[in-house]
Amino acid sequence: MKAIIEPHIHMIARTTDDYMAMYANGIRVCVEPAFWLGENRRYAGSFFDYFRLSLDFEHTRAARYGVDHWSAIGMNPKEAEDRALADAVIDGMGEYLDHPRCVALGEIGFNNITPNEEHALVRQLRMAEERKMPVVLHLPHFNKLKGITRVLEIIKAEGLTRERIDIDHNVEETIGLALESGCYAGMTVYPYSKLSPERVSAMLKEHGHERVIVNGSADWGISDPLSLIKVVKRLREDGFDEAVIEAITHDTPMKFYSASPHWKPNFAVTPQDPATYQRQP
C-alpha cells in the first residue's frame, strides 16, 4: 500500500506520541489547516505568530518523528465575527500564504452562517483564486445543508475554480451536493461528533470515491490521529478494492494539493534518534 497522507489534522494540538503512532501506522505526510485554538484571539499579531508556529516549528517537530508536515493558512470562521480583526488578519496573510510550507488557504467557511463570516469567507476565496491556491472549506457543525447551499451560491457567484476547493466536514445530506458541484468533498472521522468509519464506508458505496478526501482532523477535543487507519480497516472488511483505498488515502489528496506549486511531499523522512534532539531548543 502507498504511504498515507493525512490531509486535514491539527497537530499543534497533539503530542509527539501521536506523530510516532502515525509513522508506525504508515502515515508519512500531513497537512495542518489553521483553526480555532479554544479561545478567541484579540490581536492580529496572535494569528501571525500562530501561522509562523505552524509553518516553521511544527514542520521541524514532525520531521523528528518521520512525518512531513505542511500547512494551510486562513482566518477561521469561528473568530471571523469580529470583522475588524478578521480584516486585519486577512490583510496580513499574504506573506504566510507565500511561505514555501503553505500549500492551501484554510480552513475557512461558516460557523453560524452570519454576514461577518461570509465577508471573511468571500475575501479569502478571492485571495485563493488570485493566487491559484487550493482551499480547505469548513462546513458548519450545525445547519450543514444551509451552510453548503450558501457556500455553493458563493462559489458560483464568484466564478471560482471548483477543482481547487475541498468542501470539508460533509455528512450524508451534503456529500452529494459537494460532489455534484465539481468541488472535492471532505469526510471527517471523529469518535463521536462526526463520521464513523462505518458511515464513511456507506457513503463511499453510495457516492463513489472520485474527488473524496477522508481525514481525521484531530485536535484538542475527543479525536483520533489514526482515524484514517481505522477507515482503511473498515473499507477492507467491507470489500473495497485496494486501489480505491489507495485513492482515498494517497492519490486524491495528492492530486488536490498538487494545485499548489509548494507541494513537494517527502514520503521518506527518517525519524531521528530521540537522543539527538532532546536538548535542542
Side-chain angles (χ1 to χ4, degrees), residues 24-135:
N25 284 276
I27 298 174
R28 293 292 182 269
V29 175
C30 71
V31 179
E32 173 150 9
F35 79 131
W36 184 57
L37 295 179
E39 185 69 28
N40 288 357
R41 283 159 280 202
R42 296 178 293 167
Y43 312 106
S46 299
F47 286 86
F48 302 147
D49 288 342
Y50 164 69
F51 296 159
R52 184 63 64 184
L53 172 67
S54 180
L55 291 162
D56 291 335
F57 174 74
E58 198 59 32
H59 160 65
T60 302
R61 183 169 80 108
R64 292 172 179 171
Y65 304 97
V67 177
D68 191 28
H69 177 282
W70 298 82
S71 298
I73 295 302
M75 178 68 195
N76 73 84
K78 191 167 179 64
E79 293 173 274
E81 198 58 46
D82 183 337
R83 184 178 288 212
L85 176 62
D87 280 336
V89 173
I90 295 167
D91 287 344
M93 271 173 34
E95 67 177 279
Y96 305 100
L97 295 175
D98 295 336
H99 190 286
R101 299 299 303 185
C102 180
V103 294
L105 196 156
E107 57 187 298
I108 61 175
F110 283 126
N111 180 45
N112 292 318
I113 319 178
T114 68
N116 284 339
E117 291 173 9
E118 182 165 321
H119 170 78
L121 170 60
V122 171
R123 281 202 64 191
Q124 292 179 94
L125 286 171
R126 290 171 178 169
M127 290 177 71
E129 187 71 14
E130 290 170 3
R131 285 177 160 79
K132 299 182 179 179
M133 294 185 71
V135 173

Side-chain angles (χ1 to χ4, degrees), residues 129-149:
E129 187 71 14
E130 290 170 3
R131 285 177 160 79
K132 299 182 179 179
M133 294 185 71
V135 173
V136 179
L137 204 156
H138 170 99
L139 288 182
H141 297 291
F142 304 100
N143 297 320
K144 285 185 181 289
L145 190 58
K146 178 180 178 182
I148 194 171
T149 299

